[in-house]
Amino acid sequence: MTVENLSQNRSFGGWHKQYKHQSSSLGCEMRFAIFLPPQTAHGEKVPVLYWLSGLTCTDENFMQKAGAQRVAAELGIAIVAPDTSPRGDDVADEAERYDLGKGAGFYLNATQEPWAQHYRMYDYVVNELPALVEELFPVTDQRAISGHSMGGHGALTIAMKNPERFSSVSAFSPICNPISCQWGQDAFRAYLGDDPAAWQQYDSSVLMQQACSEQFLPALVDQGEADDFLESQLRPETLEAAAQASGYPLELNRHEGYDHSYYFIASFIEDHLRFHGKHLGV
């Protein structure tokens, strides 16, 4: 596998690096960022936290705004942040919309034209990117996954559909029940067509309610009570009800006064890193 290093910056004794590569899953050039903690400089292999960002974001938002590197360096956890969608001049897009097309991949495999050729973020995050990271960098095959908003939706659904691949899952302000909100309905109709069964395969509330104990993963969700999208798009109460129905080990915390921004993420990212560190054994 060939990658090209685009940038590197020293950070808390480790390195933040940005790469691009040709993705076989997406059929386009993709970019991702990785934080390698200082332990890797001494030959140690470390586990990886995959971070999935939200609508309109790239690999840069979390790495620059969340303040995660200090605790990741202390714990010895690498962080990998992919872009949020395929990119390129030949990739389908809805340029006038922020919630469909480029920057809005929704971490699924599209089945409808013109999206099906490139919009396969599910395959990219589950298979291609971890294989690349584990081949090229000093990391183990121990993985955790987290994300924000659309990326929180992606983290939860990917983890629940692949519990054998992850030690734990967390999310900030996830889209918990996309089949019942405008963001999810618009994206699913475009990418997946009109089949409700196809939509349910990418809905974390549906998946959590259907999960059996053999599929359970430790799950942490934080939600701000002053989030403008709380009632219309995120609906954490549906995830909470699903967990209660199946007995899923979900910890869902609500925080008065916090909104949907990276100020919220930065305020509680240490809790998430330590949560994952416990389940990754660091």
Side-chain angles (χ1 to χ4, degrees):
M1 299 182 184
T2 301
V3 299
E4 179 182 341
N5 181 225
L6 299 175
S7 67
Q8 57 183 14
N9 303 92
R10 196 77 165 147
S11 180
F12 290 97
W15 287 94
H16 168 272
K17 300 186 178 185
Q18 192 179 53
Y19 291 88
K20 68 178 181 180
H21 72 109
Q22 187 66 30
S23 167
S24 58
S25 300
L26 304 173
C28 66
E29 191 173 82
M30 285 294 285
R31 197 173 69 186
F32 69 92
I34 184 169
F35 172 71
L36 294 169
Q39 292 84 348
T40 60
H42 309 295
E44 184 178 340
K45 288 190 173 184
V46 298
V48 182
L49 172 67
Y50 287 87
W51 173 270
L52 308 182
S53 288
L55 290 167
T56 75
C57 290
T58 69
D59 64 287
E60 295 182 335
N61 299 72
F62 177 80
M63 292 299 202
Q64 294 180 3
K65 296 179 179 180
Q69 290 88 346
R70 177 183 62 82
V71 178
E74 174 196 329
L75 296 173
I77 298 174
I79 302 174
V80 172
D83 201 349
T84 54
S85 77
R87 304 281 180 174
D89 292 341
D90 62 339
V91 172
D93 190 24
E94 290 283 349
E96 72 282 1
R97 297 187 61 171
Y98 72 93
D99 56 350
L100 188 65
K102 294 177 186 177
F106 271 84
Y107 304 102
L108 50 72
N109 286 341
T111 59
Q112 305 299 302
E113 297 301 335
W115 313 102
Q117 181 180 356
H118 296 290
Y119 282 76
R120 304 186 63 83
M121 288 296 295
Y122 177 87
D123 280 353
Y124 181 70
V125 172
V126 172
N127 296 310
E128 183 180 0
L129 185 59
L132 184 152
V133 168
E134 289 162 24
E135 178 179 337
L136 298 180
F137 299 100
V139 301
T140 70
D141 61 359
Q142 290 181 283
R143 314 174 195 97
I145 191 166
S146 186
H148 172 232
S149 194
M150 178 186 72
H153 141 78
L156 288 166
T157 56
I158 285 172
M160 284 188 284
K161 289 164 74 71
N162 301 274
E164 74 287 350
R165 294 184 64 82
F166 299 97
S167 298
S168 51
V169 59
S170 74
F172 288 86
S173 316
I175 305 171
C176 295
N177 191 206
I179 64 175
S180 67
C181 75
Q182 197 67 50
W183 281 346
Q185 291 169 357
D186 288 352
F188 286 3
R189 187 171 292 109
Y191 296 145
L192 302 173
D194 294 323
D195 181 7
W199 293 21
Q200 291 176 1
Q201 289 301 307
Y202 296 104
D203 187 296
S204 55
S205 291
V206 173
L207 294 173
M208 190 167 283
Q209 183 166 343
Q210 294 174 344
C212 59
S213 58
E214 293 80 9
Q215 300 170 303
F216 287 175
L217 283 176
L220 171 65
V221 171
D222 281 284
Q223 174 62 60
E225 290 286 85
D227 193 316
D228 289 341
F229 305 110
L230 179 60
E231 295 181 4
S232 61
Q233 307 289 359
L234 307 180
R235 304 194 63 202
E237 69 278 1
T238 63
L239 194 68
E240 204 164 39
Q244 291 172 353
S246 65
Y248 203 96
L250 170 69
E251 177 184 348
L252 197 156
N253 304 310
R254 292 175 170 84
H255 302 275
E256 184 178 354
Y258 286 90
D259 58 19
H260 201 70
S261 71
Y262 269 85
Y263 295 107
F264 174 46
I265 297 171
S267 298
F268 297 98
I269 190 62
E270 180 171 351
D271 294 346
H272 283 239
L273 287 165
R274 295 195 184 281
F275 167 80
H276 290 297
K278 178 175 67 174
H279 295 291
L280 290 167
V282 299

